[in-house]
């Protein structure tokens, strides 16, 4: 998906899909041209909700070659990095608020052969990222507080994306945004500097996924 000057990826957040038929959902997403699937991993400790575990990822891994992007909202992520690799993840993002040894964690993720992302909550200063920009493959700007799908977009998030883009400078670090992205604000997200758009309800509320991709792409490239 690319416009004249900007390219971007839509990463549907599987939490908002029909969880009773995940395999079929993924087949339809593949047909619609989606490349990345976003899995929200929650542990009931770092965030007040519990979602997918390893057996779910493993069984889906057998069904598709799409990129598995796991967003870890868990305490003590270091304990599980290898398990996420074994379960078939390609990208792993960890929260800066949950990882006291973030630099080591990123190195470990890369050593395991995955792309390493750092997620940052709406209330955390971007200055906290200064020490990791040379080591992360992508930064995940949370535009809602993590824990649930379907929340309202927090308005200063695009300002934060712009500030982050300045901080990144000419490094090859991508920007992912997650929370409350929909048809009405996807264009501003891309213009602000987002490369990867995680979308839950804003994607799955379309009647079918080919229409979703076409409509959303039209918003950005118009
Ligand atoms: C929130 C999750 C998001 C969420 C996005 O903790 O990280 O990925 O599922 O859902 P929407 O797009 O509905 O805000
Ligand atoms: Zn997420």
């Amino acid at each position: 998906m690319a416009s004249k000057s900007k390219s971007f990826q839509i990463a549907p957040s599987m939490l908002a899909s029909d969880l009773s038929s995940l395999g079929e959902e993924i087949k339809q997403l593949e047909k619609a041209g989606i490349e990345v699937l976003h899995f929200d991993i929650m542990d009931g400790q770092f965030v007040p909700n519990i979602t997918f575990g390893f057996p779910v990822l493993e069984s889906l891994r057998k069904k598709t070659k799409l990129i598995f992007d796991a967003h870890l909202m868990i305490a003590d992520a270091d304990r599980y990095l290898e398990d996420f690799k074994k379960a078939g993840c390609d990208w792993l993002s960890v929260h800066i608020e949950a990882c006291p040894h973030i630099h080591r964690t990123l190195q470990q993720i890369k050593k395991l052969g995955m792309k390493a992302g750092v997620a940052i909550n709406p209330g955390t200063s971007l200055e906290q990222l200064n020490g990791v920009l040379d080591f992360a493959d992508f930064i995940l700007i949370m535009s809602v507080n993590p824990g649930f799908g379907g929340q309202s977009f927090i308005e200063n998030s695009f300002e934060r994306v712009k500030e982050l883009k300045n901080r990144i400078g000419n490094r090859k670090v991508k920007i992912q945004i997650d929370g409350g992205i929909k048809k009405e604000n996807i264009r501003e997200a891309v213009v602000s500097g987002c490369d990867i758009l995680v979308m839950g309800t804003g994607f799955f509320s379309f009647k079918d996924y080919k229409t979703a991709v076409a409509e959303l792409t039209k918003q950005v490239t118009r």
Side-chain angles (χ1 to χ4, degrees), residues 172-185:
K172 284 196 172 68
V173 178
K174 292 202 169 179
I175 302 179
Q176 190 179 51
I177 192 159
D178 186 3
I181 300 297
K182 46 187 184 296
K183 190 177 167 186
E184 290 72 20
N185 61 9

Side-chain angles (χ1 to χ4, degrees), residues 13-16 38-40 42 47 71 73 95 140 142 144-152 178-182 198-203:
S13 170
M14 298 312 292
L15 194 56
H38 184 84
F39 289 94
D40 288 303
M42 306 187 190
V47 290
H71 172 194
M73 285 160 274
H95 267 264
L140 195 182
M142 288 304 298
V144 297
N145 288 297
F148 303 94
Q151 303 180 80
S152 306
D178 186 3
I181 300 297
K182 46 187 184 296
V198 175
M199 299 181 73
T201 42
F203 185 91

